Amino acid sequence: MSTPLSIQLYTLREEAKNDFFGVLEMLAETGYKGVEFAGLHGKTATEVAAKLASLGLTTSSSHVGLPTPENIHEMADTEKTLGNSLLISGFGPDDFKDSEALKRTADKFQTAVDLVQSEGLKFGVHNHWWEFATIDGRLAYDVLLETVPDLFGELDVYWVAVGGLSVPEVIARHASRMPLLHIKDGPAVQGKAHVAVGSGTLDFAPMVAAADPNVLQWLVVELDECDTDMTEAVKQSYKFLTESGLASGNK
């Protein structure tokens, strides 16, 4: 059984600035089952939830700022209104530059996990390539997940490839901790734009096969930048992933 397909709405951030609900309508028409939020573009969570329901879309997950004691209740209320239980954040390269930085980062993630769990939700980390640097002989990413055992991973498969590692091996090693995979494609070179999923250099079938089907909940398309029209790339990505049998949509 293939995994349902979502999309990180950061992909369509420019389009969403002008017509957020129009973007959601296009995604539903294309056949995506879910959306992953990165802000609500001035809409309330109640308004967005109603729109999702009308379109038959589900919230797969949300990227959020780091939760604090001051904002956790409002953050949790928003996510619960959207029907979401998976919150994700990430850190920059300086936060993984050495063992001391990594310890501070792990402490921040542990605090975030505790706050989010107090609201009955789950907190995860989204990676770039710098989490896969070696610190004291170990991958920073491995140390982070080991140090914060309740932190889940939303593995961005593209950045793992950019980091020069075997993506299936990383997924297999942490399969019990990965309910989400970020799916993007391109030349796997830093600084180069992404392309529609299926038209770049990555081989996604072994990656999906390495995941635990009892843990993996969503494949989430994300294209940061694209040299072609982004809306068309989003549609082509849907077509490739569903026609290849790697993901399921609503069509």
Side-chain angles (χ1 to χ4, degrees), residues 4-9 11-12 23-36 52 55-58 60 183 196-197 218-223 230-242 247-251:
L5 188 59
S6 179
I7 182 166
Q8 165 53 262
L9 291 171
T11 303
L12 295 158
V23 165
L24 296 179
E25 290 165 3
M26 179 274 292
L27 293 170
E29 174 61 27
T30 299
Y32 281 88
K33 284 190 172 185
V35 291
E36 180 176 84
L52 295 180
L55 294 171
L57 288 170
T58 298
S60 65
I183 304 296
V197 176
W218 294 90
L219 300 184
V220 185
V221 169
E222 182 188 47
L223 304 175
M230 188 61 87
T231 298
E232 285 307 308
V234 164
K235 293 179 178 179
Q236 291 173 29
S237 298
Y238 172 87
K239 186 172 187 287
F240 169 77
L241 288 166
T242 54
S248 60
N250 278 332
K251 284 192 169 183

Side-chain angles (χ1 to χ4, degrees), residues 181-196:
L181 295 178
H182 255 195
I183 304 296
K184 56 169 62 102
D185 207 349
V189 176
Q190 289 183 35
K192 296 289 187 179
H194 302 145
V195 300

Side-chain angles (χ1 to χ4, degrees), residues 1 10 29 36 41-42 58-59 63 85 115 118 147 163 165 178 247:
M1 182 177 178
Y10 178 79
E29 174 61 27
E36 180 176 84
H41 297 278
T58 298
T59 302
H63 278 216
S85 64
L115 286 168
S118 73
T147 307
L165 282 81
M178 290 187 177

